[in-house]
Structure formats: structure tokens, C-alpha cells
């Protein structure tokens, strides 16, 4: 059972389209991270959000942490083929050290 | 800067053989993780070390799996005997515990294991 549910699991879109990926949980997290993983490589951190309601932008990517710190979303504007990859959300808890709970991932393909 | 270094990158072995995966964390990091990734189960935490001490090994599948961290710059994950269902990508990751939460975890490129 995944403590963090990501949706959709798979997404195939055309270049230029917008998309949103969701990460939901019934548990409260002290921090929420988003990673991107490309084929043959390990996940790479994109962003960390720690405050309920926090919004962070990274170029065409917008990340939001839910007010109750149980959910998060990643919105990509004008997707490009270079955005193709596996997007993983991961929740952290205070006093859990660096341990993270990962979601199942959203596999995104952006076609030219 | 050198990232997390894992070896081997790829290994194909026969069922029943011993497999040893190696990891060199980023210098100065005090936390080390072993993860396993499969299409079916996603990214699973196997074991977590802090200051070379195993803190949580609840994710280790069974007694066939063991992990050691003899010093701050080296860790191994051993599978003995290996089984086909162990086929997966095994990631080592490291981090520095600076804040109660939200610290960045750096992953290696993974060891792709196939057990036939």
C-alpha cells in the first residue's frame, strides 16, 4: 500500500500542452519533495516544499504543497520533450531523519 | 564534484549465486540509503544508515539480504542466494542530516541486477 498516491500513473502528451501531476496522502508530512528520473539514471531532486500552501516555481514547473501538508501538485506549462521522465513525489517527517516515503511515480512522455 | 558512486552498473548472475553491490557516498554525508526499484513496486527503501549505524532495515525483504557500512565512505548490499525475483535496479543514495526534514538526497546511477 502506497502512503503517497500519485496520479496519473502514465501521461502522454504533445509538446506545448500543459499538465498537472498529483501526489496525495492521508498522512501529514513535514516536507514534500519532487524528483525527476530519466532512463538509466537515479532520481534527481527538483524542489522541496515545507510550508502548507507553499508554491514554488522552477522555470515552467510550478509546485504546490497543500494547506494541510497532505498533498502536492506539479504543474508543467508548455511541456517540452526534455520534460519526459518519471516524476516522483516523496514525503518526509520530522524525527524520521532523512527517511522519505516515495510515491509510485508518474511516467510522462512529451511527444514532439 | 563526485556524486554517489555505485558498482557494478550492470550485473547478470545465475540463481543461487551471491551478489554484492557497492556504494561510495558523497564525502561528508552522514546518511546512506539503499533503495530497490521495479516497475511493479516502484522505489522501495531497503535500509537506512546514519553515521554508519543501521537505523531502519524494515524494508529488507528477507534474510537473504544484508547490508553493511564499515566506514563513512563505503557500503555494501549483499544478496545470498540470489533469486530471479531479486531482479531490479538497486540505488544507493546519500544525504547530510542538517535539518529535521527536507534534506536533499542524492542518488547514484543504480546497479541493474538481472538474476536468471
Amino acid at each position: 500500500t502506497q502512503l503517497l498516491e500519485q496520479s496519473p500513473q502514465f501521461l502522454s502528451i504533445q509538446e506545448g500542452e500543459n499538465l498537472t501531476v498529483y501526489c496525495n496522502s492521508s498522512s501529514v508530512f513535514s516536507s514534500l519533495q519532487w524528483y525527476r528520473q530519466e532512463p538509466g539514471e537515479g532520481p534527481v531532486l527538483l524542489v522541496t516544499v515545507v510550508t502548507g500552501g507553499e508554491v514554488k516555481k522552477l522555470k515552467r514547473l510550478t509546485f504546490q504543497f497543500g494547506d494541510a501538508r497532505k498533498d502536492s501538485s506539479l504543474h508543467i506549462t508548455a511541456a517540452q520533450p526534455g520534460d519526459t521522465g518519471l516524476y516522483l513525489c516523496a514525503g518526509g517527517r520530522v524525527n524520521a531523519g532523512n527517511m522519505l516515503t516515495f510515491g509510485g511515480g508518474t511516467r510522462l512522455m512529451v511527444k514532439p | 564534484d563526485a556524486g554517489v558512486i555505485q558498482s557494478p552498473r550492470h550485473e547478470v548472475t545465475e540463481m543461487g549465486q551471491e551478489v554484492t553491490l557497492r556504494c561510495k557516498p558523497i564525502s561528508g554525508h552522514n546518511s546512506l540509503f539503499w533503495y530497490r526499484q521495479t516497475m511493479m513496486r516502484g522505489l522501495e527503501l531497503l535500509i537506512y544508515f546514519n553515521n554508519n549505524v543501521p537505523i531502519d532495515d524494515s524494508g529488507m525483504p528477507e534474510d537473504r539480504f544484508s547490508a553493511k557500512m564499515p566506514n563513512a565512505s563505503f557500503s555494501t548490499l549483499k544478496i545470498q542466494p540470489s533469486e530471479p525475483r531479486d531482479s531490479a535496479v538497486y540505488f544507493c543514495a546519500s544525504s547530510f542530516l542538517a535539518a529535521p526534514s527536507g534534506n536533499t538526497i542524492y542518488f547514484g546511477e543504480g546497479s541493474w541486477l538481472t538474476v536468471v
Side-chain angles (χ1 to χ4, degrees):
Chain A
T1 303
Q2 293 278 3
L3 289 179
L4 277 170
E5 297 285 344
Q6 286 189 240
S7 62
Q9 290 183 300
F10 301 94
L11 189 55
S12 180
I13 61 172
Q14 292 294 136
E15 181 176 1
E17 292 184 16
N18 301 331
L19 68 117
T20 301
V21 174
Y22 299 94
C23 175
N24 295 300
S25 176
S26 57
S27 302
V28 175
F29 291 97
S30 56
S31 63
L32 201 293
Q33 298 181 325
W34 285 91
Y35 288 79
R36 181 170 71 202
Q37 184 179 14
E38 298 188 19
E41 298 181 6
V44 175
L45 180 68
L46 294 173
V47 77
T48 300
V49 285
V50 296
T51 305
E54 183 177 0
V55 176
K56 279 192 176 179
K57 293 193 174 184
L58 186 65
K59 297 183 181 177
R60 293 176 293 101
L61 279 60
T62 301
F63 304 85
Q64 185 164 7
F65 201 10
D67 290 341
R69 292 185 289 142
K70 292 182 179 181
D71 54 84
S72 181
S73 64
L74 158 60
H75 182 80
I76 302 179
T77 303
Q80 298 177 2
D83 296 327
T84 294
L86 177 67
Y87 289 81
L88 295 159
C89 67
R93 292 192 174 90
V94 175
N95 299 326
N98 279 324
M99 287 176 59
L100 294 175
T101 300
F102 277 87
T106 293
R107 202 166 293 274
L108 172 66
M109 176 175 289
V110 182
K111 294 179 278 189
Chain B
D1 287 346
V4 176
I5 300 173
Q6 292 188 243
S7 64
R9 284 298 315 274
H10 299 271
E11 177 147 349
V12 180
T13 190
E14 291 185 343
M15 182 174 63
Q17 296 297 306
E18 178 180 290
V19 172
T20 299
L21 307 178
R22 297 173 178 80
C23 174
K24 177 177 169 50
I26 293 173
S27 177
H29 282 189
N30 55 8
S31 298
L32 183 137
F33 310 82
W34 282 101
Y35 285 90
R36 178 173 67 178
Q37 187 176 41
T38 62
M39 286 293 291
M40 290 295 293
R41 300 175 67 87
L43 197 60
E44 303 173 280
L45 177 65
L46 300 178
I47 187 168
Y48 161 47
F49 291 87
N50 198 42
N51 293 321
N52 312 337
V53 176
I55 302 300
D56 190 320
D57 65 353
S58 58
M60 295 286 265
E62 48 198 270
D63 292 345
R64 296 184 299 106
F65 285 70
S66 63
K68 293 182 180 179
M69 191 166 185
N71 57 62
S73 59
F74 184 67
S75 177
T76 59
L77 178 67
K78 188 173 292 187
I79 309 173
Q80 166 64 21
S82 59
E83 297 182 2
R85 60 190 167 125
D86 301 330
S87 298
V89 185
Y90 290 82
F91 286 103
C92 178
S94 72
S95 180
F96 182 72
L97 184 58
S101 181
N103 299 289
T104 302
I105 293 181
Y106 297 85
F107 284 80
E109 294 185 315
S111 292
W112 295 65
L113 174 65
T114 302
V115 183
V116 298

